[in-house]
Amino acid sequence: MTTEFLWQLPTSGDGRYGNSRKERRAERTSSAHPYSDGVTDPRGLSFNYFDYLHQVARAADLAGFDGIRIPEDINGDEPWIIAGYVARGSRHLKLVTEFDASRGSSVYAAKNTVSYQRFTDGRFAWQISAGGDDKHRRALGDFVEDSEINPRIEEFVTVARGVLTQSPYSFKGKYFEVLNGGFQGALSNQKVPPIYLSGKSKEALALSAKVADFHIFDADTVENIQQQIQELSALAKQYGREPRFALRIDIVSRETEDEAIFDARRYWQQSEQGNHQPVINGNLWAGLSTDTTAANATLVGSYEQVTQALVAYAAAGVSSFLLSSVPHFEEAYRLGEHVLPAVRAQIKHDQRRAA
């Protein structure tokens, strides 16, 4: 089974070496200004945040990542717009684009996807999120009850796949209805976007068992991830399905473990995340960069330690790694040079031995 490595784009801000506070690099701002009042980059208006995101995407491409993850953030730019902006900068990167379940018409989303698939040669993928808590969802105009979120996502995916693969296609559900829909001509027979879902609740796991191509687990110990994979695999088999499994985790990796710990602690001190300390379990630090990247935990260690940890997750059943590190531009190159080649080589070696 092929293992993919995706790098996250910082859609709502990033940090810097020597200043890990979250800011929108390359843009003028009224709050974070290391150079002068309202300026976060000396290039000023000649270089904006979309240019920076393009740099991060290009760095991920040159560093050997298989794709990028474009997260949804209420204070960040629109992920679908970003995907379109950075797509032409590479002809290889997979574009895993997150959006909330409240996006709207699944048919319109599918038609947008057809265009994305046509101009990216089928590299577009969906990560559909539940949309956060009530306060977050209502701020986006979504007043659907919690109990209806997952059923609505199931219908959204069902209808989108239907109009992408069939014509005519009809469907009548609680949230969506289509009569003799589907795409024809140049818009027909386009690749259905792989569906990435996440969540820990029984309802979220049941949804992934029924419709997800990938289920994303929050960072945890190898043992806990392996147990969660086994449980979801058993549930999916009841529907005759075999989804793949992804891990969302941050990385702080250096030549030695001491260097990695030093930089992780420096990041914590500079990022102004309060007085509470990250929970450290071996090389896994829970809560280190959650406020900046939304990752549940971070692997902190030498290149060799991080390599072996990722290999262990792969052996437990993870086939997609959704990685990030602050600052995203510079760290993409670091991991591409020192970690990804070693992880890929070890996974390939282990797979040959198992065969």
Side-chain angles (χ1 to χ4, degrees), residues 194-343:
I195 306 298
Y196 290 69
L197 300 178
S198 61
K200 294 182 178 180
S201 68
K202 292 181 179 179
E203 293 78 11
L205 294 174
L207 176 64
S208 283
K210 288 187 279 188
V211 303
D213 296 301
F214 291 82
H215 183 84
I216 305 170
F217 293 106
D218 287 332
D220 206 332
T221 64
V222 173
E223 294 75 19
N224 287 344
I225 293 296
Q226 185 173 35
Q227 180 179 354
Q228 293 174 59
I229 287 175
Q230 291 172 348
E231 292 173 354
L232 183 49
S233 294
L235 184 60
K237 284 183 180 179
Q238 298 177 21
Y239 300 97
R241 304 187 69 254
E242 295 183 357
R244 298 173 65 183
F245 305 105
L247 179 68
R248 175 69 189 93
I249 194 167
D250 278 1
I251 306 288
V252 175
S253 189
R254 300 293 185 264
E255 291 283 352
T256 67
E257 183 179 23
D258 287 344
E259 288 181 78
I261 291 173
F262 177 86
D263 280 354
R265 292 194 180 280
R266 181 176 63 173
Y267 170 83
W268 180 259
Q269 293 167 357
Q270 294 174 346
S271 58
E272 301 178 349
Q273 298 188 68
N275 296 322
H276 62 285
Q277 296 292 315
V279 178
I280 301 175
N281 181 6
N283 294 109
L284 195 65
W285 294 32
L288 176 64
S289 52
T290 304
D291 291 348
T292 302
T293 68
N296 187 55
T298 304
L299 271 177
V300 178
S302 67
Y303 298 137
E304 292 78 12
Q305 288 173 319
V306 168
T307 294
Q308 292 308 310
L310 295 179
V311 169
Y313 283 118
V318 173
S319 61
S320 178
F321 290 92
L322 283 57
L323 308 176
S324 68
S325 187
V326 177
H328 291 74
F329 177 63
E330 292 88 340
E331 290 295 323
Y333 285 112
R334 184 192 297 273
L335 291 179
E337 179 179 0
H338 297 288
V339 174
L340 292 192
V343 174

